[in-house]
């Protein structure tokens, strides 16, 4: 990284969002350090393919990307990475993902999402990081039924361990902002989809089954609604927030506290499309893009899941002048073309 200044550390570099964020950072000329443990939660070959694509990114300056494979839970190794790379900012996207898997393997979430995030905070604290942007999730809204979800709503009733760890991350980050004046911005992502997406999420699961002529599992008998958000919009929101470090809210009132802001330099924002879509409509759009009809298999709601999500993104738009806007039909079209090309179907 000589000559490029202090880099940006992106964790979860081989992940869906991480790899897309790094591509954009490199294209605009930033030096980037990527970190990922390349675990086998889903196909490592897809993660490797995402990393391979980064080798072909044309940087506006000189080549400026290096990659480290390590676990967030390894505090000593992570401390050495912070000391050697000296990142000026951190985009923390690594986590053990998935709502349902958190019921099967809670220990993985405690280690990665709690212990690992604590190590990230310590690295930021001790090495002069100017801004931490970290991934939260729409899952933190849990049992809330008031729509659309606003950052000003309380999130005290998570319905999965995954959601609980994400709320814990928000509390942990706020504490470090308060104690050590660490600017930190938490981003609550709403159902991200698009090319190079995660195989454990509905778009990939549905596309695979539809093209194979197999039934797709439709939970809650189809009475589901999601605020599907296209990957390019997510990336734009992440980077705009990165470029505007969190600041204390001058109007914060401890007698009537706003959950989205603080007297410390900590902010929370939803990143969603603000266009919640019924699941059956999503399936219809995907069928059209793939040119194949689905075979729905209706099933009850799964433990830890919620029936609907919808994002109020007015705070994000007011802060950085941007909110996601890609129509579902456009995003699914891009996804379907990529899926057929990547998997040769």
């Amino acid at each position: 990284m000589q000559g490029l200044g202090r880099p940006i550390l992106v964790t979860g570099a081989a992940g869906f969002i991480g790899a897309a964020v790094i591509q954009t950072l490199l294209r605009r000329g930033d030096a980037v350090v990527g970190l990922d443990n390349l675990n086998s939660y889903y196909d490592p070959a897809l993660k490797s393919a995402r990393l391979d694509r980064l080798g072909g990114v044309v940087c506006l300056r000189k080549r400026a990307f290096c990659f480290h494979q390590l676990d967030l839970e390894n505090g000593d190794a992570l401390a050495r990475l912070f000391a050697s790379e000296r990142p000026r900012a951190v985009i923390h996207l690594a986590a053990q993902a998935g709502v349902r898997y958190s019921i099967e393997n809670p220990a993985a979430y405690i280690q990665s999402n709690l212990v690992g995030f604590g190590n990230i905070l310590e690295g930021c604290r001790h090495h002069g990081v100017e801004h931490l942007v970290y991934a939260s999730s729409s899952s933190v809204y849990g049992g809330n039924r008031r729509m659309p979800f606003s950052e000003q709503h309380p999130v005290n009733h998570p319905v999965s361990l995954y959601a609980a760890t994400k709320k814990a991350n928000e509390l942990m980050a706020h504490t470090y902002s308060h104690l050590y004046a660490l600017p930190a911005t938490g981003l609550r992502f709403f159902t991200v989809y698009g090319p190079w997406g995660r195989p454990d999420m509905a778009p990939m699961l549905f596309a695979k089954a539809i093209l194979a002529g197999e039934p797709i599992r439709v939970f809650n008998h189809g009475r589901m609604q999601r605020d599907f958000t296209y990957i390019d919009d997510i990336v734009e929101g992440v980077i705009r927030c990165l470029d505007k470090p969190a600041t204390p809210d001058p109007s914060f009132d401890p007698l009537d506290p706003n959950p989205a802001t603080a007297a410390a330099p900590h902010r929370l924002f939803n990143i969603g499309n603000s266009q919640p879509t019924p699941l059956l409509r999503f399936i219809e759009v995907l069928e059209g893009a793939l040119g194949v009809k689905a075979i729905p298999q209706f099933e009850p709601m799964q433990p830890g899941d919620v029936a609907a999500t919808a994002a109020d993104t007015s705070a994000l738009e007011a802060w950085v002048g941007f909110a996601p806007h890609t129509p579902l039909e456009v995003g699914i079209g891009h996804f379907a073309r990529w899926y057929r090309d990547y998997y040769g179907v």
Side-chain angles (χ1 to χ4, degrees):
M1 300 300 178
Q2 292 297 318
L4 288 178
R6 295 172 64 191
I8 298 167
L9 171 62
V10 180
T11 72
F16 176 29
I17 301 174
V21 166
I22 291 172
Q23 275 200 315
T24 300
L25 290 173
L26 291 176
R27 285 188 178 125
R28 76 175 195 173
D30 290 298
V32 179
V33 174
L35 179 158
D36 203 294
N37 67 357
L38 299 177
N39 66 28
S40 58
Y41 170 66
Y42 63 78
D43 184 9
L46 180 59
K47 299 179 182 182
S48 296
R50 293 184 188 128
L51 286 176
D52 288 344
R53 292 181 74 226
L54 298 178
V57 172
V58 177
C59 186
L60 294 179
R61 290 184 276 179
K62 59 189 281 190
R63 182 87 178 103
F65 176 63
C66 67
F67 175 73
H68 297 262
Q69 183 176 350
L70 62 85
D71 289 314
L72 295 175
E73 306 94 290
N74 188 334
D76 290 341
L78 194 59
R80 288 193 294 272
L81 185 149
F82 269 93
S84 63
E85 299 290 0
R86 298 180 57 252
R88 65 176 176 86
V90 174
I91 302 175
H92 178 58
L93 303 171
Q96 179 56 61
V99 168
R100 287 178 283 278
Y101 187 60
S102 69
I103 297 172
E104 302 169 21
N105 189 3
Y109 291 76
I110 292 167
Q111 288 300 311
S112 179
N113 299 5
L114 298 180
V115 175
F117 189 61
N119 290 336
I120 289 290
L121 289 170
E122 280 291 280
C124 293
R125 169 194 173 191
H126 290 293
H127 296 282
V129 167
E130 298 168 5
H131 190 198
L132 166 65
V133 176
Y134 65 94
S136 185
S137 168
S138 62
S139 295
V140 300
Y141 290 103
N144 288 19
R145 292 294 179 268
R146 184 178 171 191
M147 298 285 179
F149 294 150
S150 167
E151 302 91 339
Q152 297 189 35
H153 295 168
V155 288
N156 298 321
H157 301 91
V159 296
S160 70
L161 181 62
Y162 170 71
T165 63
K166 288 300 184 178
K167 177 177 179 179
N169 287 171
E170 294 178 359
L171 296 173
M172 294 162 72
H174 174 272
T175 302
Y176 271 67
S177 294
H178 170 74
L179 292 174
Y180 309 114
L182 169 66
T185 301
L187 302 177
R188 294 172 175 172
F189 297 143
F190 281 69
T191 315
V192 189
Y193 76 98
W196 299 94
R198 276 173 37 200
D200 62 321
M201 294 187 70
M204 293 275 273
L205 291 171
F206 287 178
K208 180 179 180 181
I210 288 170
L211 291 173
E214 299 171 351
I216 61 172
R217 302 176 71 190
V218 182
F219 294 105
N220 200 31
H221 304 285
R223 296 187 294 272
M224 304 281 278
Q225 180 176 279
R226 288 291 181 269
D227 203 338
F228 293 99
T229 312
Y230 190 60
I231 181 62
D232 290 2
D233 287 339
I234 291 288
V235 170
E236 173 120 2
V238 168
I239 291 179
R240 287 198 184 210
C241 286
L242 172 73
D243 291 342
K244 187 173 181 180
T247 57
D249 178 1
S251 64
F252 185 79
D253 181 358
L255 296 178
D256 184 21
N258 177 356
T261 66
H266 182 258
R267 301 268 174 158
L268 292 170
F269 297 105
N270 292 334
I271 298 192
N273 207 42
S274 300
Q275 296 290 327
T277 301
L279 183 58
L280 295 182
R281 171 59 183 160
F282 172 83
I283 293 169
E284 181 182 286
V285 174
L286 182 58
E287 288 174 328
L290 293 172
V292 182
K293 294 293 287 183
I295 305 170
Q297 177 178 300
F298 294 102
E299 300 187 11
M301 179 78 86
Q302 293 193 107
D305 213 343
V306 298
T309 64
D312 177 347
T313 57
S314 57
L316 176 71
E317 189 163 10
W319 184 248
V320 296
F322 171 81
H325 57 268
T326 301
L328 182 69
E329 292 78 7
V330 172
I332 287 296
H334 293 322
F335 164 74
R337 286 188 290 274
W338 168 82
Y339 188 94
R340 282 190 174 277
D341 180 67
Y342 182 77
Y343 289 103
V345 292

